[in-house]
Amino acid sequence: MEVEECHQGNRMKPTDRTLITEPTAPHRSQTPRFRQSRIRRYPINMRWVQPVLVARLINILLWWGSVTSARERDHDGILCAPITYIKEGDPGVVQCSPEVDFEAVYWYNSTDLRASPMLTLSSTSGEVIRGSDSSAESYDIATDGSLLITHANIEQDHRYRVVFAYPGLTDSITQEIEIRVIVYPAHGHPLVDVCGTKRVCFIRIESELILECTVGSSRPEIPITWYRRNGDEEVIMDAEYVTVDDGHVFTTVNVFIYDPLVDSSGGVDVFICRANTIAIEQEETVVLLDSSAWFSKYSQPRYFNRHSEITLECPNNNPNVLIWKKKTTADDFKIIAIDVYGDIIVSEQGMHLNDVGTLSIPNVDIQHEGDYLCQYISDEELRYSAVSVGVYIPPTTPAPIIEGCEGTTVCFLEKKSVGVVTCSLGGMRPAAHLTLEYSGSGLTEFVSYEQSVNIVSDEYTYNITAMWYYLLVDDEESSQITVTCCAEFPDSVPVISSATAVIGYPPESKLSDWYIGYFIIAGIIVFGVSVLSILSARRKYKVSHEQKKSETRRKTSPTEKSMFLQATAGSDMYVHC
């Protein structure tokens, strides 16, 4: 009761200001009793409650700071990835990065707040509890709370809900995320019907053309748009857009009609079909439409040594579009290389195009011969640079060969009143033109000229034969004519040596021939006299021998003679003297 009286005695009214400024004596006397009473009643509580409350307050402040930080991360959308793309059939991860230790994480297969969790992970036990949903078998939870997809399919393409629970916090953190299952198109870029499967194509056009761009069999739907590019500017073209959904994948089509009377710039126009998605490797297909006049001003060929490396320059000022063509027929060509806004595509194997427009051929050969044209757009104008390429193969001999002078470049030919000088050169490319130069003291008239060109069996080199027929007007023995056979090639082909022959008989040559004839005739005479001498000696010997035999017969005895007559008697033998 002491305490209650004290409280009542010290109760202050708002209008009683005297009690506040000047308290009465009883009031002063009662106040000590009140303080003594409280100290006397709570001496133990005041000693131990104060440090416990301070420690508890510090823990609450630290915990509240961590929760506030987690809530801020959740609000910023960085607790879990809000959208995750996974290719159909591949495994995937919805990445979560909680920096505060959580007590449990719950994954739901929908955003419905009444749904039961599909998967639950307790951080204490580390055990993943699966719900009654049969689709939960296709999922799992990582230790950091990330959702694991074992095999992505179309049924998993929807929104999910994830809940992170923290110890001592009744208000858990919830976030909605989305999984998008991607089905890539069969081709890695939009397909334009006039280009086939090419990502960059060049079309020469003179009339209206329908350009149909398609991205088929994809998921999600891939929007596509036609643009016209002029320098650094792009203009969206009016086109018809269609989408087809078969329940699994989408097909999008965008059709643009090109009218040269309206859309042509008089040169090369650049149109782009662009897919606005990450589900395709190359987002653009470029169509170059050429309505310019046909170019035909090609210069004489420049010849390069076979198997050498050559470079064809295209002088330009860094254009946005540059095209190298090669002429195939009188009114057709093929695309060699294209540079469209820094995207370089070379369609001819073995060739290279650098960033300044120079076309290089590392190993030039016969198939590389032809007319090349570089087109480029500079200052919104179409410009040209043309060059003709030829391949040089040197002849098999260092100089032409004059018939009768094989093995040497200078020789003598027999002078005739009517004759021919034949010169040949073989195994070369391109075919040369043979010419004859002559000079001398005798008057000679070349009356006709023939030259034949034959392709060698290898089908790319040539053999040349030229013949000059002449009439000898001045037949003096001392006169002679000097002829020189030369091969003429184009300016870019190396010069080769010439062949020279002298028609006539120099004095030294005639004198030596007379001596040779003289010795031959003298030898024949000596040989004849020797044979006659031998025959005469033999005849004399034979006559002398017969005379000796006759004398021996006349000296034969009568007995021997009678014996001979008896032996020959009665025979038919008749001896005529």
Side-chain angles (χ1 to χ4, degrees):
M1 294 298 293
E2 251 179 320
V3 175
E4 291 179 358
E5 291 178 358
C6 181
H7 277 284
Q8 291 176 359
N10 287 298
R11 186 173 298 152
M12 295 179 291
K13 297 179 181 179
T15 57
D16 192 357
R17 301 183 181 273
T18 58
L19 294 177
I20 299 175
T21 57
E22 296 181 359
T24 60
H27 177 80
R28 290 194 298 267
S29 61
Q30 291 176 356
T31 302
R33 283 199 299 267
F34 169 75
R35 292 174 179 172
Q36 292 174 1
S37 175
R38 288 183 62 86
I39 296 172
R40 193 167 51 245
R41 186 171 182 176
Y42 302 103
I44 299 175
N45 292 343
M46 292 300 295
R47 290 191 182 99
W48 66 267
V49 169
Q50 185 174 3
V52 171
L53 290 177
V54 171
R56 184 62 177 173
L57 180 61
I58 293 174
N59 289 335
I60 291 174
L61 292 176
L62 292 174
W63 171 79
W64 182 256
S66 64
V67 170
T68 303
S69 176
R71 284 183 172 179
E72 290 177 353
R73 288 194 302 274
D74 178 54
H75 178 72
D76 293 339
I78 59 174
L79 188 63
C80 294
I83 301 178
T84 300
Y85 294 91
I86 308 174
K87 183 181 178 182
E88 184 183 27
D90 288 357
V93 179
V94 179
Q95 191 65 50
C96 297
S97 302
E99 296 181 1
V100 179
D101 294 335
F102 56 85
E103 185 176 66
V105 60
Y106 306 90
W107 277 98
Y108 296 83
N109 200 13
S110 69
T111 59
D112 188 356
L113 298 178
R114 297 169 298 177
S116 301
M118 173 181 62
L119 297 172
T120 302
L121 171 64
S122 173
S123 62
T124 304
S125 63
E127 180 184 1
V128 177
I129 302 173
R130 300 182 185 278
S132 59
D133 190 352
S134 59
S135 63
E137 298 297 329
S138 301
Y139 302 89
D140 203 348
I141 303 181
T143 56
D144 62 353
S146 300
L147 181 64
L148 307 178
I149 295 91
T150 57
H151 186 82
N153 55 60
I154 301 301
E155 287 72 21
Q156 296 170 337
D157 189 331
H158 56 268
R159 295 185 64 83
Y160 297 75
R161 186 163 60 93
V162 59
V163 177
F164 284 86
Y166 292 91
L169 181 65
T170 58
D171 187 13
S172 58
I173 299 176
T174 301
Q175 182 182 354
E176 290 186 3
I177 64 99
E178 184 176 359
I179 294 179
R180 293 183 182 177
V181 178
I182 298 175
V183 178
Y184 289 98
H187 296 277
H189 60 88
L191 296 181
V192 178
D193 54 348
V194 296
C195 299
T197 59
K198 296 179 180 179
R199 194 174 66 83
V200 177
C201 69
F202 186 95
I203 301 173
R204 185 167 179 82
I205 186 170
E206 297 178 355
S207 59
E208 185 179 271
L209 179 65
I210 298 176
L211 299 174
E212 181 179 297
C213 183
T214 305
V215 176
S217 302
S218 65
R219 186 180 182 91
E221 173 188 348
I222 298 179
I224 50 178
T225 309
W226 275 108
Y227 296 87
R228 177 173 184 165
R229 181 175 289 176
N230 297 320
D232 297 331
E233 299 180 355
E234 289 185 347
V235 179
I236 299 177
M237 307 302 296
D238 293 332
E240 183 179 354
Y241 186 85
V242 178
T243 301
V244 179
D245 181 7
D246 66 358
H248 180 75
V249 292
F250 298 88
T251 298
T252 53
V253 181
N254 201 330
V255 179
F256 163 63
I257 301 177
Y258 174 83
D259 186 355
L261 299 178
V262 178
D263 303 313
S264 174
S265 63
V268 178
D269 300 309
V270 182
F271 293 91
I272 298 172
C273 179
R274 180 177 298 146
N276 303 310
T277 181
I278 65 169
I280 196 167
E281 296 176 5
Q282 299 288 340
E283 298 180 358
E284 296 181 351
T285 296
V286 181
V287 183
L288 304 175
L289 301 181
D290 184 9
S291 58
S292 61
W294 184 255
F295 184 86
S296 59
K297 299 178 181 179
Y298 291 94
S299 59
Q300 292 296 323
R302 290 174 54 195
Y303 286 92
F304 303 89
N305 291 327
R306 189 184 185 191
H307 301 310
S308 63
E309 181 177 1
I310 68 172
T311 56
L312 307 179
E313 295 183 355
C314 181
N316 59 77
N317 55 352
N318 193 23
N320 295 323
V321 178
L322 185 144
I323 306 158
W324 273 101
K325 306 177 184 178
K326 183 183 179 184
K327 192 174 180 180
T328 55
T329 61
D331 55 356
D332 200 5
F333 57 86
K334 65 178 179 180
I335 300 298
I336 300 298
I338 295 177
D339 183 351
V340 182
Y341 294 89
D343 188 2
I344 297 177
I345 298 175
V346 180
S347 58
E348 195 73 7
Q349 187 176 5
M351 296 186 183
H352 306 284
L353 180 64
N354 63 17
D355 55 359
V356 296
T358 300
L359 183 68
S360 61
I361 306 176
N363 186 20
V364 68
D365 211 336
I366 306 301
Q367 68 269 19
H368 298 132
E369 288 188 327
D371 296 328
Y372 290 80
L373 178 66
C374 175
Q375 287 181 293
Y376 59 95
I377 302 175
S378 178
D379 299 330
E380 298 183 359
E381 292 186 7
L382 185 64
R383 302 178 186 273
Y384 301 90
S385 178
V387 61
S388 293
V389 174
V391 175
Y392 171 66
I393 300 176
T396 54
T397 57
I401 297 176
I402 297 177
E403 187 175 334
C405 300
E406 291 79 0
T408 180
T409 56
V410 179
C411 68
F412 294 94
L413 298 179
E414 181 182 359
K415 182 172 62 174
K416 299 179 180 179
S417 58
V418 178
V420 60
V421 177
T422 303
C423 183
S424 62
L425 187 64
M428 83 208 82
R429 186 180 183 91
H433 178 68
L434 298 179
T435 61
L436 189 71
E437 300 176 358
Y438 63 94
S439 62
S441 58
L443 295 177
T444 305
E445 181 180 359
F446 285 89
V447 295
S448 63
Y449 163 74
E450 295 179 2
Q451 178 166 300
S452 60
V453 179
N454 299 316
I455 299 179
V456 186
S457 58
D458 58 20
E459 297 184 353
Y460 52 79
T461 57
Y462 301 92
N463 288 340
I464 310 296
T465 302
M467 294 180 291
W468 292 269
Y469 297 90
Y470 66 88
L471 297 175
L472 192 61
V473 179
D474 187 354
D475 199 14
E476 294 182 0
E477 293 183 0
S478 60
S479 64
Q480 62 181 19
I481 304 167
T482 302
V483 294
T484 302
C485 181
C486 303
E488 293 184 352
F489 285 98
D491 294 339
S492 56
V493 174
V495 178
I496 65 172
S497 303
S498 58
T500 303
V502 176
I503 302 175
Y505 294 102
E508 297 83 0
S509 178
K510 291 182 64 179
L511 183 60
S512 61
D513 291 346
W514 186 84
Y515 276 118
I516 292 173
Y518 172 79
F519 284 117
I520 292 175
I521 295 174
I524 294 174
I525 293 174
V526 170
F527 178 75
V529 171
S530 300
V531 171
L532 291 176
S533 299
I534 294 172
L535 292 177
S536 177
R538 288 190 62 185
R539 183 177 182 82
K540 291 179 180 179
Y541 171 78
K542 187 175 182 180
V543 171
S544 173
H545 182 67
E546 290 294 335
Q547 289 177 353
K548 289 180 180 179
K549 287 181 65 176
S550 299
E551 293 178 356
T552 303
R553 288 175 182 170
R554 284 196 295 269
K555 293 178 181 180
T556 303
S557 60
T559 304
E560 292 176 352
K561 184 177 180 180
S562 60
M563 291 174 65
F564 175 78
L565 293 174
Q566 289 177 3
T568 57
S571 66
D572 295 332
M573 185 177 178
Y574 178 77
V575 178
H576 179 70
C577 296

